[in-house]
Amino acid sequence: MGIVFAAAVRKPSQSEVFDGQFMSWTGFNGEVFALTADDSNPAMQRGVQGLHMPQMVVRSSSSPLTHGEELISYHIPTRPVFWPLIFQARAAADWRTRHASFFDSIDPHFEGEWTVGKGENARRLSLVGSFDGNHPFQVDPFVTGYAIIGLELSAPQPLWRGPRLRRTFLGAEARADFIPDKPGDIYYLSSSSPFTLASIDNPGNEPAYLTWTVNGPLTSIRLGVGGAIIEVAFPVPSGSSLTIDTDPAAQFALLDGRDVTADLGFQLFGPVPVGGTSPLLIQAEGTGSVVTELTPLYWRAY
C-alpha cells in the first residue's frame, strides 16, 4: 500500500492581510458598479471565469522525418467571461431599479470595462454581453428580494491591460543646466531624459505598441524601436503636437487633431518586446520633446 505525505496548509500569520481583490464594472454608458464591496449590489459570487490564463491556440508543423512537432506560433481567441452575481434589495422597487440599471449598462456591441485591483496593480478588460435568452428564474425576485444570475460576457480583445506607462524625452537644446550660470538663477530639475538615453520597459506578457507624441518645434524626426523606424517627412512647429499610434488596431497620425496619416506615408511599426528595458531611437532637431506611452498587455488579471 502506498503512503502519500502532504504538507499541512500554512495559516497566514496575523501580520498578513488578505482583503480580497477589488472588482468593478464600468458600463458602456459610463455607469460604475463596485462588484466586491461589502454593500455591492449586484455582488460577485464564487465561480468567476476570465481572470486566469486565456485559451491559446498553438500552430505547429510536423514531418515524418523527425519526431514530435515544431511549434511555430500561437493565437489567443476571444476570451469568454462568466460572472455569478446576486441581486438583492429590501423593497421590490429597489430590486427592479438596480437590476435594470446594471443590465442597461451591458451591450452586445459597445464595450464596457471590467477592472480588477487598484492603483498600479489594477488591470482592465473590455467586455461585451453574450446573451442567449435562456436564463431561468427559479424564484420570483419580487417576492424573495433576491436573485442569483449567471452572466456570460466576452472579451473580443482578450488581453488584460495594465496602467499606461508614460515617459518624456527632451531634445538637446531643450534641457536647462542644473547649475545656475549666475546668482539668482533657478535650479532646474526634470524627470525627463534626453533623446540619446531614450528607453522603455514592457512588464507585460505580450509585445505592445507605442503611441508617440512629438511636441514642437522639431524637424528631421526619426522614431523607432528595434529595427522599425518611423521617418516623419514634415516638421512639427512650435506649439503643435503630432501623435502617432502604432498599434495595428489603430495606426493613425494626428497633427493638432488633424488626420495626417496619409502625409506620414508608409511606415514600419514595431512593438516593444516583452521583458527588460528596450532602447528607443529618437532623433530630431529643435527644442521640443517626445512623449512615449505604452499599455502593458497581460494574460491574467493578476
Side-chain angles (χ1 to χ4, degrees), residues 15 24 36 47 49 76 79 118 121 150 152 168 202 204 214 247 265 273 287 299:
S15 63
S24 68
T36 55
Q49 296 178 16
I76 301 176
R79 180 193 293 261
K118 294 182 178 180
N121 294 320
E152 294 185 356
T168 299
N202 180 6
V214 180
D247 191 325
T287 58
W299 292 334

Side-chain angles (χ1 to χ4, degrees), residues 251-263:
Q251 288 191 347
F252 63 81
L254 300 175
L255 180 60
D256 296 333
R258 179 173 60 88
D259 190 345
V260 292
T261 306
D263 298 330

Side-chain angles (χ1 to χ4, degrees), residues 40-86:
S40 289
N41 186 21
M44 194 74 79
Q45 304 295 291
R46 294 181 179 180
V48 182
Q49 296 178 16
L51 295 169
H52 212 254
M53 295 294 291
Q55 179 187 2
M56 295 185 179
V57 180
V58 178
R59 190 166 71 92
S60 62
S61 65
S62 61
S63 168
L65 301 178
T66 60
H67 298 294
E69 295 180 323
E70 178 186 1
L71 303 181
I72 300 174
S73 63
Y74 65 91
H75 170 72
I76 301 176
T78 296
R79 180 193 293 261
V81 170
F82 179 75
W83 289 351
L85 300 171
I86 182 169

Side-chain angles (χ1 to χ4, degrees), residues 116-255:
V116 175
K118 294 182 178 180
E120 63 181 13
N121 294 320
R123 295 182 185 177
R124 305 176 309 281
L125 187 68
S126 295
L127 301 174
V128 295
S130 299
F131 307 112
D132 60 14
N134 293 322
H135 174 73
F137 281 95
Q138 304 295 343
V139 295
D140 185 350
F142 293 95
V143 174
T144 62
Y146 75 90
I148 297 176
I149 299 176
L151 176 59
E152 294 185 356
L153 306 105
S154 66
Q157 300 299 323
L159 297 171
W160 287 86
R161 305 185 308 279
R164 199 166 178 86
L165 306 178
R166 176 188 174 98
R167 293 204 64 186
T168 299
F169 304 99
L170 302 177
E173 299 174 43
R175 297 196 304 277
D177 292 333
F178 177 73
I179 303 299
D181 290 333
K182 58 182 182 295
D185 282 355
I186 298 174
Y187 286 90
Y188 182 88
L189 293 175
S190 174
S191 60
S192 304
S193 300
F195 288 170
T196 54
L197 299 180
S199 64
I200 197 164
D201 298 328
N202 180 6
N205 299 120
E206 294 283 333
Y209 285 84
L210 288 171
T211 296
W212 302 84
T213 300
V214 180
N215 301 304
L218 287 174
T219 60
S220 305
I221 304 163
R222 301 179 76 233
L223 312 168
V225 55
I229 308 301
I230 304 170
E231 303 272 0
V232 181
F234 50 87
V236 177
S238 178
S240 293
S241 291
L242 170 67
T243 299
I244 305 172
D245 189 336
T246 66
D247 191 325
Q251 288 191 347
F252 63 81
L254 300 175
L255 180 60

Side-chain angles (χ1 to χ4, degrees), residues 31 33 87 94-105:
E31 190 160 2
F33 299 83
F87 293 79
D94 293 339
W95 193 94
R96 180 196 300 273
T97 299
R98 195 61 174 174
H99 175 268
S101 177
F102 182 79
F103 276 95
D104 284 347
S105 73

